[in-house]
Amino acid sequence: MADLLRRARLVGDKLKAVFGDNGSEIDMVKAPGRVNLIGEHTDYNDGFVLPVAIDREIIMAAQPREDDEVHLYAVDLDATSSFKLENITKDTDAPWSNYIRGVLLLLGERGFPIRGMNAAFSGDVPLGAGLSSSAALEMASGLMAAVIGRFPIDRVELVKIAQAAENNFVGVNCGIMDQFISGLGKKDHALFLDCRSLDYQLVPLPPMDEYKIVIANTMVERGLVDSAYNERRRQCERGVELLREYLPGIQALRDVSGADFGRYRHHLPAVVAQRCEHVISENERVLESVRALRAEDVEEFGRLMGASHISLRDLYEVSCKELDIMVEVAQGAEGVLGARMTGAGFGGCTVNLVRAAVVDDFVALLKDAYGKKAGIEPEIYICQAEDGAKELKLK
Ligand code: GLA
């Protein structure tokens, strides 16, 4: 927390240095990135996910303006972008600003009294690594708009607005998991979310003095991710269309049981059947994971993480050589309960549950073995589960 406040002060200083101090109080918010423990490619199938908000976040500082202009400064990029609230369009020169523009546009369209502001932000969520830096920026912007505009907004509504901004304004067809966990995560807990009803439960994590969440960045940028992601979505929809002939009333793969799928899968083209099998079994694994964590059965949870990776690799085909190497090295290491790729895939990160007593040895081994096998130096982050987006009070 002390470090967070120190960094928040620095962002506030940058704000004043770049735009001048207009005398108003500086408002501060933070919104975290996330790592998904299990439940991959299930959110857009109305399924279940179990992510964690991590202690890496976007921090935003802002002062209100009397006019309807928004002036933005991205500290880490040393770049600015500005616009008027009455005419929010995309900025192709500053694509980072589109996450903020999209959220403000939608808030305005839905009647929230947004105001002009000067805002600066900075973060330590690695970009393009599959840890949801964009969702964090969206949630920080939405919360800041509410703080500056002094209006209340339901947190789940803000999450939906952020997702809609990413889908319709930025143009990325993501599900709701990333924005939801950035908005509603809780310290020391994973969040078990039903992506259809948006009901959620907080699930206590194994004690963090005994176990650590270790995120390993393959440093492979998630190439092709958009087109492959959209293709997977279409294949799942196709599966539902075809299965509906035998299972009338199903709306999404979420509604298909493993037993029913076994009965009718031979009616599907092979690739579509593979995609569906992943989603249906992954939903089941999330439910089992929640049971295992509640029963403090860490070994079983780790086993489910491993099974999830195999399914993503072989059935959903969204892993890549580097992610597989990272997982294989981890699974052979002492004190590792579970390891799997996390996020959309095709690069990005793995998530590992590791006994705290051996975590330093694990990090050293992973760096060395991955470096040798993949020829790339990885980045490793030992993470804590943190609270979702919130206002920061400096005093
Ligand atoms: C990306 C999307 C999420 C989710 C994951 C895969 O992170 O933004 O909505 O679909 O991929 O589980």
Side-chain angles (χ1 to χ4, degrees), residues 34 36 39-44 132 174-178 229 343-344:
R34 66 99 186 89
N36 190 18
E40 219 64 83
H41 290 277
T42 46
D43 62 352
Y44 53 83
S132 295
C174 61
I176 199 159
M177 166 169 71
D178 307 342
Y229 187 89

Side-chain angles (χ1 to χ4, degrees), residues 176-359:
I176 199 159
M177 166 169 71
D178 307 342
Q179 292 79 9
F180 203 99
I181 185 65
S182 182
L184 287 109
K186 199 93 213 121
K187 190 171 173 51
D188 300 331
H189 290 76
L191 186 147
F192 167 46
L193 174 65
D194 177 335
C195 298
R196 170 174 280 166
S197 65
L198 300 187
D199 288 342
Y200 67 95
Q201 290 168 21
L202 296 169
V203 181
L205 286 169
M208 281 295 125
D209 50 345
E210 287 176 46
Y211 301 96
K212 296 283 178 208
I213 297 170
V214 180
I215 299 175
N217 188 345
T218 61
M219 306 303 279
V220 176
E221 287 246 353
R222 301 166 305 141
L224 282 180
V225 68
D226 285 353
S227 58
Y229 187 89
N230 290 335
E231 184 188 37
R232 298 297 182 286
R233 287 189 74 139
R234 280 196 301 275
Q235 289 166 331
C236 293
E237 282 160 20
R238 183 81 188 120
V240 173
E241 269 166 34
L242 293 170
L243 286 169
R244 201 177 279 135
E245 201 169 314
Y246 313 94
L247 299 165
I250 61 166
Q251 301 296 322
L253 287 176
R254 147 73 176 280
D255 302 313
V256 182
S257 69
D260 278 343
F261 181 64
R263 217 164 286 139
Y264 301 115
R265 66 172 297 158
H266 64 279
H267 295 291
L268 307 181
V271 173
V272 172
Q274 247 177 262
R275 305 297 189 243
C276 295
E277 183 181 348
H278 164 71
V279 174
I280 293 165
S281 62
E282 185 79 350
N283 274 330
E284 195 49 48
R285 279 187 289 273
V286 178
L287 298 176
E288 286 172 27
S289 294
V290 172
R291 281 195 287 272
L293 284 176
R294 289 205 189 283
E296 294 175 27
D297 188 347
V298 196
E299 272 82 16
E300 172 64 2
F301 177 55
R303 191 194 64 73
L304 291 161
M305 289 173 77
S308 168
H309 184 77
I310 291 171
S311 180
L312 287 157
R313 183 189 69 194
D314 299 344
L315 297 176
Y316 218 62
E317 297 181 284
V318 291
S319 188
C320 66
K321 188 179 86 206
E322 292 81 2
L323 283 167
D324 292 341
I325 292 175
M326 197 71 102
V327 167
E328 259 165 50
V329 171
Q331 282 172 342
E334 204 202 313
V336 175
L337 282 310
R340 58 179 287 275
M341 58 153 276
T342 184
F346 301 102
C349 293
T350 66
V351 58
N352 307 268
L353 188 65
V354 183
R355 286 191 204 284
V358 298
V359 75

Side-chain angles (χ1 to χ4, degrees), residues 71-149:
H71 292 256
L72 301 172
Y73 179 58
V75 177
D76 309 315
L77 303 172
D78 190 22
T80 55
S81 176
S82 47
F83 55 94
K84 285 184 189 299
L85 288 175
E86 61 170 17
N87 179 30
I88 302 182
T89 54
K90 264 180 135 168
D91 183 349
T92 43
D93 293 332
W96 53 269
S97 75
N98 292 329
Y99 300 103
I100 306 170
R101 290 163 182 261
V103 170
L104 294 180
L105 177 67
L106 259 72
L107 283 169
E109 281 177 2
R110 297 189 190 183
F112 290 99
I114 47 173
R115 290 185 65 179
M117 61 177 164
N118 295 332
F121 71 92
S122 169
D124 59 359
V125 189
L127 301 178
L131 300 178
S132 295
S133 54
S134 29
L137 183 52
E138 289 155 5
M139 292 306 296
S141 320
L143 181 57
M144 184 56 92
V147 170
I148 289 268

